[in-house]
Amino acid sequence: ILKPTYEASMLLMTSNANMNNQSINGDSIDKMLDSITEIPVMNVETYRQQILSPEVIRKTIDELGMDEDYTIKTLASKITIETIKDTQLIEIKMTSADPEKASEIINRVGVNFIEFVNENAKERAVASSQYIASQMEIERDIYEEALLQQKELLSKPRGSKEVSMELEAKLSQLTDYKIDKTNNEIRIESIKASIDVAESIPSGGSSLTLNQSTGRVLLDSSEKQLKMELAELESEYDSLEVMIPKLEKELEGLRVEYQDKSHLESLAAQKVNFAKGIYEAFVRKYEEIRVMDSAIVGETSVTIVSSAYPDKTPVGPNKTLNMAIGLVLGLMIGVFAAFFKEYWKQTGEGIKK
């Protein structure tokens, strides 16, 4: 007589939990850190394959003191894992002649599996946290060094701002010189024309004139006065022709100096900003991992829907099925026996003849 067997089942619900917090700005450094600290997305099939892992089964055997009854292999072979189609549900089943023991084993497997998922996630989070923390210190030193170099550069005399101000002053001065030169050219041409007119007209005596450049009052003829003013303008014009190229050359040197200093200061600022961005990215990721460390990843991604309980209704042996099989086998044996008996009888009569 076959002993009755009982089935115990436990229902778990999984979620595609991923504890990785996505970065705010999506920069390449943040994406790189996300890939380092990311916890893989776990689907139902992944969980199903892990339930009967040696770690889970070994822990169950040890906790229930079943070393003499089961090995990892034999206990795993008695447990059935099924996923329910189109759901996130996993059913853990075990058939045994002892319903109480079967329920206890299944419940313990489920709890140990959740702890197993949690421990794996914690180990990965701790490893990521240690890496991020150590690298964060390195990036902080790099950032502070970049700030120091920028400070030393800006503390040097004649920075880009000072050169820029001098450049603007020289440009303004050059503009004034060129305007004066143009005005002198016009004035010179005008005085030359006046002299030509004065030379063609007989002098009518002397007159009082005010020299605009010296402020002195002169008593002279119109022609002589014009020639003296022309000489002053031409002298000023010659001076401007000398000073303008000289000033343009100085401006050329100032432009080169300004570009060099601006370039160095820009590189220093870029280095500071880049180092600052990396350091802040590591700080953000470290805070994310710190929060993740305090989360119970396994229990949030796998939950127990229903625990196993002892079911007094046997699932085997199936008496009706066994009787049906026995009846069919009996008929087959009876037919075979009748056929064999008739065949033997006919064979014996043939031999006697």
Side-chain angles (χ1 to χ4, degrees), residues 140-163:
R140 185 186 64 185
D141 293 340
I142 294 175
Y143 175 42
E144 291 177 350
E145 178 65 22
L147 282 173
L148 181 60
Q149 291 177 0
Q150 184 187 42
K151 183 178 179 180
E152 291 177 352
L153 179 63
L154 294 177
S155 64
K156 293 181 179 180
R158 289 182 63 80
S160 64
K161 289 185 178 180
E162 184 179 348
V163 176

Side-chain angles (χ1 to χ4, degrees), residues 286-310:
Y286 180 77
E287 290 301 319
E288 292 173 5
I289 296 176
R290 186 178 61 81
V291 173
M292 187 171 65
D293 284 345
S294 63
I296 306 176
V297 180
E299 292 184 0
T300 57
S301 60
V302 182
T303 55
I304 298 174
V305 176
S306 64
S307 300
Y309 64 92

Side-chain angles (χ1 to χ4, degrees), residues 192-203:
K192 285 181 178 180
S194 298
I195 291 173
D196 292 339
V197 173
E199 288 177 345
S200 63
I201 300 174
S203 176

Side-chain angles (χ1 to χ4, degrees), residues 205-225:
S206 300
S207 61
L208 289 172
T209 58
L210 176 65
N211 190 307
Q212 298 292 332
S213 61
T214 63
R216 292 180 292 174
V217 178
L218 301 174
L219 178 63
D220 210 339
S221 64
S222 298
E223 182 181 348
K224 187 176 182 179
Q225 173 193 350

Side-chain angles (χ1 to χ4, degrees), residues 38-196:
E38 182 179 9
I39 295 177
V41 176
M42 307 285 282
N43 55 33
V44 176
E45 183 59 25
T46 304
Y47 283 127
R48 191 180 75 85
Q49 295 295 332
Q50 291 183 342
I51 292 176
L52 297 181
S53 62
E55 293 87 345
V56 174
I57 300 301
R58 179 75 265 171
K59 187 176 182 180
T60 301
I61 293 174
D62 292 341
E63 290 179 349
L64 297 180
M66 300 186 300
D67 296 276
E68 296 181 359
D69 301 325
Y70 297 104
T71 63
I72 294 176
K73 186 176 182 179
T74 56
L75 180 57
S77 65
K78 291 184 174 295
I79 299 174
T80 304
I81 310 296
E82 295 181 358
T83 57
I84 301 177
K85 187 177 179 181
D86 298 329
T87 69
Q88 296 292 107
L89 299 176
I90 299 176
E91 189 174 18
I92 307 175
K93 297 180 180 180
M94 180 177 182
T95 301
S96 173
D98 186 349
E100 300 283 347
K101 194 65 176 179
S103 299
E104 186 179 15
I105 292 173
I106 292 300
N107 286 332
R108 182 51 52 186
V109 168
V111 171
N112 288 340
F113 167 64
I114 293 175
E115 292 178 355
F116 172 75
V117 173
N118 184 34
E119 288 172 1
N120 283 346
K122 288 283 187 180
E123 289 176 2
R124 184 180 180 88
V126 169
S128 299
S129 179
Q130 291 174 348
Y131 166 75
I132 294 296
S134 62
Q135 191 63 31
M136 184 174 65
E137 296 298 321
I138 296 174
E139 297 302 332
R140 185 186 64 185
D141 293 340
I142 294 175
Y143 175 42
E144 291 177 350
E145 178 65 22
L147 282 173
L148 181 60
Q149 291 177 0
Q150 184 187 42
K151 183 178 179 180
E152 291 177 352
L153 179 63
L154 294 177
S155 64
K156 293 181 179 180
R158 289 182 63 80
S160 64
K161 289 185 178 180
E162 184 179 348
V163 176
S164 176
M165 292 174 64
E166 184 177 350
L167 183 60
E168 290 178 1
K170 294 285 186 181
L171 282 171
S172 178
Q173 187 178 8
L174 178 63
T175 302
D176 292 339
Y177 282 176
K178 288 184 176 180
I179 292 174
D180 291 343
K181 182 182 176 182
T182 302
N183 291 335
N184 282 359
E185 289 177 346
I186 297 172
R187 182 63 180 156
I188 288 171
E189 293 300 322
S190 176
I191 291 176
K192 285 181 178 180
S194 298
I195 291 173
D196 292 339

